[in-house]
Each structure stands twice: as structure tokens, then as C-alpha cells.
Amino acid sequence: MLYNDSLYSEKVLFTIKTTSLISIILLIIRNVMRIYSWYSLKAITDPVELRACIVSIITSIIFFILFLRPHKFILIGIIALYYSLEIAFNDANDMLCIPMFFIGVTTFSIRGFFREYRKLKISLFIVIYLIICICPIRLSFNECVSSLLLKIVNSFIFLVAVFFTTENNRNKIRDDAQTECILNIADYEKLNSRDAEMLDLLLQKKAYKEIAAFENLKEGTVKNRMSIIFSILGTGDKVGFINRYGKYKIVYERPGDRL
């Protein structure tokens, strides 16, 4: 899994929110133009355009959710995967489907999608990739072979880019491993020692139910408190916290305790 300590920084989340808002505005403008065209003609002349309009509305809703919850950027991956398939089916010679597919895969990977049931999920993405590659089968033999070769070449280029990016991140992790990374919960005014304890249990892969039993609390209480903690830490949710602080030691040390 790719690791990025600054992935949930305020700048990144602000960029995601801004991009989502711009996307929503552009999609709304495009749909208004479509509807105006239909109104002028007093009929929907192209079923493909109707489908495109519906897809745009759904995409706008997804971007709106992303605007409200920017840490849920796995939604970008869902959109990218959909459009990679859409492009592959509608225009078999359009190579944009390959980068869209890898954007989707990378986004899912960053959000920890492959952490559980890894083999099954990787197999699913391989099937999607093969579907994208064999879409040109309905073309002539020469066009099919040409399109397939181009997609393989594009895939190789993206895989090389992902490889070097991953290696770069791994080197950073190795450098960080030489000096122990510590998250001191006492540095956050609204957090306490129990919060530090619950976060430490979370990093030990304890479920909310187990944390609740350990702390003698209700599971709902733990979930609500965790949501507040994630918000204060700027990680958004459980996945964001694990991605950002998975390698950290959780402590609660006030200035007086360090003397």
C-alpha cells in the first residue's frame, strides 16, 4: 500500500474540496446546456446524451459528498474506474481509459482498500483491466491488435511511474523508522489520556467492540468519540488515521511528565 504522511493535510483536503466544487459547477453547466438543447428541440434526440446526463448528475452527487467529506477521496477512485470502463466501451481506441484505471487503482490503494481480502480484490481489478483491454475485440483484427498493444505500453509506463513512486515512499518510511515517530495526544488540548489509550488499541487492530469492552464503554460511545478524535487530528476517519499514524507510537505526555 502506498503511504503518504501528508495525504490528509489541510492543503490536500482543501485542494480536493476545491476540485470537487469546480467539477460540480462544470457538470451542472454541461447538464443545463443539454437540457436547454432538448427544450429547444422539444425532444430528446440522442439516448446516449440522456444516459450521459444521468451519469453527470450521479457524478455531481458523488463530488458533492467528496466536497463535504474530502478525506473520503476513494470516491475519486470510483469515478475514475467508472469512466475508464465508459471510455473503453464507447471508444475502444481512446487511451484515456488506461490512466483513468490506474488513477482508480492508486486511489483505492492509498485508502487501504487492499488491506483485507487482498487476493480477491486484486483479482477483481485484474478482471476490470482485462475487460478494458479486450474492448477493441469488436473492431477489425489490425485495429484490435494495435489498440491492445498501445494499452499495454501505456500500462507499462504507468506501472513504472507507480513503482518509482512506491520505492520513494518506502525509502522515506525506512528513514522515518530509524527515528521513532511519536504522536503525543497531550499536544491536542481537547484530547485526553483515554483517547490516547483508545487510539493505541486501534493501532493494535482492535475492533470498536473490543475497545468498548476494554474501556467499559458502549460501542456507540466509542465510535462517536473516535469521530471527534479523527476530526481533531485532521485524518477524517479510521482509515485516514491508520494510513497517517500507523507507524507511530501513541503517547500521552504533558510537559511536566517529560521532566
Side-chain angles (χ1 to χ4, degrees):
M1 185 185 71
L2 298 177
Y3 178 81
N4 190 338
D5 189 46
S6 62
L7 196 61
Y8 297 88
S9 66
E10 289 184 9
K11 287 184 179 179
V12 172
L13 296 180
F14 176 76
T15 301
I16 293 172
K17 290 184 74 170
T18 303
T19 304
S20 299
L21 183 60
I22 292 171
S23 299
I24 291 168
I25 293 170
L26 292 175
L27 286 168
I28 289 174
I29 292 172
R30 182 69 184 104
N31 277 345
V32 168
M33 291 173 64
R34 284 194 183 104
I35 293 169
Y36 179 76
S37 175
W38 296 337
Y39 178 77
S40 300
L41 298 172
K42 297 183 179 180
I44 300 174
T45 56
D46 189 353
V48 174
E49 278 291 297
L50 177 60
R51 187 184 68 179
C53 183
I54 295 170
V55 169
S56 293
I57 292 170
I58 295 171
T59 306
S60 299
I61 294 170
I62 294 174
F63 273 121
F64 180 71
I65 296 170
L66 194 59
F67 175 77
L68 297 177
R69 307 283 300 275
H71 56 277
K72 298 282 188 184
F73 52 81
I74 195 171
L75 294 171
I76 296 173
I78 294 172
I79 294 171
L81 281 177
Y82 170 79
Y83 277 106
S84 68
L85 289 167
E86 177 80 9
I87 293 166
F89 279 110
N90 289 329
D91 188 350
N93 288 317
D94 194 335
M95 293 298 112
L96 186 60
C97 58
I98 296 299
M100 293 296 281
F101 172 78
F102 280 101
I103 288 171
V105 172
T106 304
T107 307
F108 273 77
S109 178
I110 290 171
R111 277 293 288 177
F113 178 76
F114 298 104
R115 189 179 292 114
E116 297 178 350
Y117 308 107
R118 187 181 184 86
K119 290 182 179 179
L120 177 63
K121 291 175 179 177
I122 289 176
S123 299
L124 175 62
F125 274 82
I126 290 173
V127 170
I128 294 172
Y129 175 75
L130 291 175
I131 291 172
I132 291 171
C133 285
I134 64 173
C135 274
I137 202 169
R138 64 183 185 271
L139 303 175
S140 67
F141 178 77
N142 288 340
E143 288 179 316
C144 179
V145 172
S146 175
S147 177
L148 185 59
L149 287 174
L150 281 172
K151 286 178 179 178
I152 291 172
V153 169
N154 278 313
S155 300
F156 177 74
I157 292 169
F158 275 93
L159 285 173
V160 169
V162 170
F163 171 77
F164 282 112
T165 303
T166 304
E167 283 301 305
N168 182 50
N169 283 332
R170 283 178 180 171
N171 289 333
K172 287 181 180 178
I173 292 171
R174 290 191 197 103
D175 292 339
D176 290 341
Q178 294 175 2
T179 57
E180 187 177 32
C181 297
I182 296 174
L183 174 62
N184 186 10
I185 300 302
D187 292 338
Y188 297 85
E189 187 178 334
K190 296 180 180 179
L191 301 182
N192 54 51
S193 57
R194 171 176 269 184
D195 296 331
E197 196 171 61
M198 290 196 295
L199 289 173
D200 187 50
L201 290 169
L202 190 65
L203 291 184
Q204 295 176 37
K205 299 184 178 180
K206 301 292 184 183
Y208 284 141
K209 187 176 181 179
E210 295 175 289
I211 296 172
F214 186 88
E215 298 290 345
N216 197 25
L217 297 169
K218 292 181 179 179
E219 186 177 352
T221 303
V222 171
K223 287 182 178 179
N224 290 336
R225 182 58 187 170
M226 283 294 193
S227 294
I228 295 170
I229 295 170
F230 297 144
S231 177
I232 292 171
L233 294 177
T235 61
D237 60 7
K238 177 181 175 180
V239 175
F241 173 76
I242 293 172
N243 282 348
R244 184 166 184 178
Y245 294 111
K247 305 292 182 180
Y248 280 60
K249 179 181 178 182
I250 308 296
V251 300
Y252 186 84
E253 295 179 355
R254 290 170 296 185
D257 299 332
R258 301 171 192 171
L259 299 177

